[in-house]
Amino acid sequence: MTSRIGEWRNTMKAIRYYTYGSPDVLELPDIDMPVVGDDDVLVRVRAASANVLDLALMRGMPYIMRGQAGLSRPKAHGLGMDMAGYVEAVGKNVTKFRPGDEVFGGGAGTFAEYVSVREDSAVLRKPASLTFEQAASVPVAALTALQAVRHKGHIQPGHKVLVNGAAGGVGTFAVQIAKALGAEVTGVCSTRNVDMVRSIGADKVIDYTQEDFTRIGPRYDLLVDMVGNRTLSERRRVLASKGVLVAVGGPSKGRWLGPMAGWVKMAVVSPVVSQSLVSFMLQRNREDLVVVSEFLEAGSVTPVIDRTFPLGDVAEAFRYFEAGHAKGKVVITV
């Protein structure tokens, strides 16, 4: 193994949780350093970011998740799904990276000082124009936005796109990626976020406290919905006859299924209507991260960061994030 660490460390600080619950269950113990296999890259994490799935895993909600995550207590104890940092060590088979490279991408348990990832996973060299904090905000949220807009929404230049939840982590990327792909974009957000959503490229912004987006404006070719706060019939009302609804998120109400209850209804209705009603889960892959990185390097997509919190304040970061008022991403610095 090739390493830039002069004296190898045996332990590191990392966020851990051993029972489901509120942010109060989070701890910051010393744990063993990650194992670095022959095909692995050890990253010294400089920043990570909070995502909705982290909250769901921490709380064990909806209950359907516990079939994989652990019925009465979590099987895995780390949180964090994306990161940016620099390579500390590489396994003997690794050729794409070397110690000292600045990288960003996906991982598991990234709220930690170090994380080990496979060389062939969704990890790339960090664009030089981005800070570690900006880069760490990208992988989960931007890939979700790209896949929602391009893969599921089948966006084409000139399409009219409506983004409900345009000021959130995924929404800010969805607005910018849709614009970069040639669409006419309308964002839906609250009064305090109107100027920000307009500043990232939205052609029009609807303040949902002043107007009902389901009853005004044109019919859209694509509705990317991060909120799920309107009925299916209301959302279909804003779509063109061959339009596409992509449900990225939804309300967490419902202990058993959460937003998946709405997704089931969409799956039942979609075959009997002319519109396409689609829900999906993120598929992390290197190819899509390359596309996002190209947007970032071209300057057509810029991360929006609301606040940063140090690793020791992850519980406070989650309380803030869970309140649902963040503009863009909440980032953890390490």
Side-chain angles (χ1 to χ4, degrees), residues 17-20 57 60 66 68-77:
Y17 72 119
Y18 300 97
T19 185
Y20 296 121
L57 290 170
R66 298 194 184 190
Q68 288 187 319
L71 293 177
S72 61
R73 61 184 62 250
K75 294 177 183 177
H77 303 299

Side-chain angles (χ1 to χ4, degrees), residues 136-151:
S137 74
V138 169
V140 170
L143 286 186
T144 299
L146 176 71
Q147 292 172 11
V149 168
R150 190 177 70 167
H151 301 349

Side-chain angles (χ1 to χ4, degrees), residues 269-319:
V269 173
S270 188
V272 297
V273 298
S274 63
Q275 298 149 332
S276 297
L277 312 176
V278 183
S279 61
F280 85 107
M281 298 294 289
L282 169 67
Q283 300 294 319
R284 292 192 289 186
N285 63 76
R286 177 187 289 266
E287 292 77 17
D288 284 342
L289 190 59
V290 168
V291 173
V292 169
S293 185
E294 290 171 350
F295 285 140
L296 293 165
E297 290 176 332
S300 53
V301 172
T302 301
V304 177
I305 296 175
D306 184 291
R307 293 189 187 181
T308 62
F309 294 81
L311 184 63
D313 290 343
V314 166
E316 186 61 31
F318 273 25
R319 292 186 188 96

